[in-house]
Amino acid sequence: MFRTILRTHWMWTRTLVAGISLVVFLMPAAAWRLGGGRTILVGRSVADGMQALGPMLAFLALLGAFVLAVYPWTVDAETKHVYPLSLPITWTRYVGMRFLAGALTLVVPAVALYLGGRLAVSMIVLPPLLHSYAGALAVRWLLAAFVAYSMSFALQYLAGRRATVVALLIVLGIVGLFAGLELAGARDVGDAIGRFLFEFPGPLGVFSERWVLIDV
């Protein structure tokens, strides 16, 4: 049964997965070009470029995972969920299999990022004190995408068609909370909340740390 759901999920999302994979594959090379595109610069060309493109990798992990979580549910909704309801399994089991199928598709862009990182590093000369971390960067992107996918999937299957509105309300609520704390002079409280969310081992800490392809 899971194989059938995985095949169906892949047929629905393969174009999206291919697009995300292509973008992340090209990002390390784009970082190299952004840093000047020189082959002998002790790795600083890619390192400087990645400092600018790192946030874009985090954003792509967030956006890509959100789309991959929402799109299959939208396809089901257009047919009034006839397909999942026709399967000889419970709704809970179906949702669990759909979640796992979507999580597995995130591996494809992660592998593409790894290959793109290896390709970018192969175009420059690294000194003995610098090393490439294409594998670590790909694993980190996979973890960030999985966190984003888990949150998006849960929101979509709990809120249904109202998921987008609920997501916007959550974002506006968070922005309003931090703005209110700032105006009330309680910046320390806002900083504490931010550290809890975005610093390791916070739930969103994987997004806030440095994204590096080359480091000591």
Side-chain angles (χ1 to χ4, degrees), residues 47-131:
D48 292 343
M50 188 55 66
Q51 185 176 2
L53 290 179
M56 291 301 297
L57 278 175
F59 175 76
L60 188 61
L62 181 64
L63 179 62
F66 177 79
V67 173
L68 290 177
V70 171
Y71 183 72
W73 187 94
T74 303
V75 175
D76 275 344
E78 289 178 354
T79 59
K80 301 185 184 299
H81 300 281
V82 172
Y83 170 71
L85 292 175
S86 65
L87 298 176
I89 56 176
T90 63
W91 175 258
T92 303
R93 188 179 178 188
Y94 169 78
V95 171
M97 289 184 178
R98 173 59 62 81
F99 173 82
L100 182 57
L104 287 176
T105 60
L106 297 174
V107 176
V108 179
V111 172
L113 177 59
Y114 170 74
L115 296 176
R118 296 282 294 184
L119 176 62
V121 171
S122 70
M123 294 186 292
I124 63 176
V125 178
L126 291 178
L129 295 180
L130 290 180
H131 303 84

Side-chain angles (χ1 to χ4, degrees), residues 130-201:
L130 290 180
H131 303 84
S132 65
Y133 295 95
L137 185 65
V139 170
R140 178 173 180 177
W141 189 92
L142 180 61
L143 291 175
F146 180 75
V147 170
Y149 176 78
S150 300
M151 295 188 300
S152 302
F153 188 92
L155 178 62
Q156 184 64 65
Y157 278 81
L158 288 175
R161 295 182 180 274
R162 297 182 295 273
T164 302
V165 176
V166 173
L168 290 175
L169 291 176
I170 292 174
V171 172
L172 292 176
I174 293 175
V175 173
L177 174 63
F178 280 97
L181 291 173
E182 183 72 21
L183 293 175
R187 178 180 295 182
D188 293 341
V189 178
D191 291 342
I193 296 175
R195 288 193 299 270
F196 171 77
L197 292 175
F198 293 101
E199 289 186 4
F200 183 82

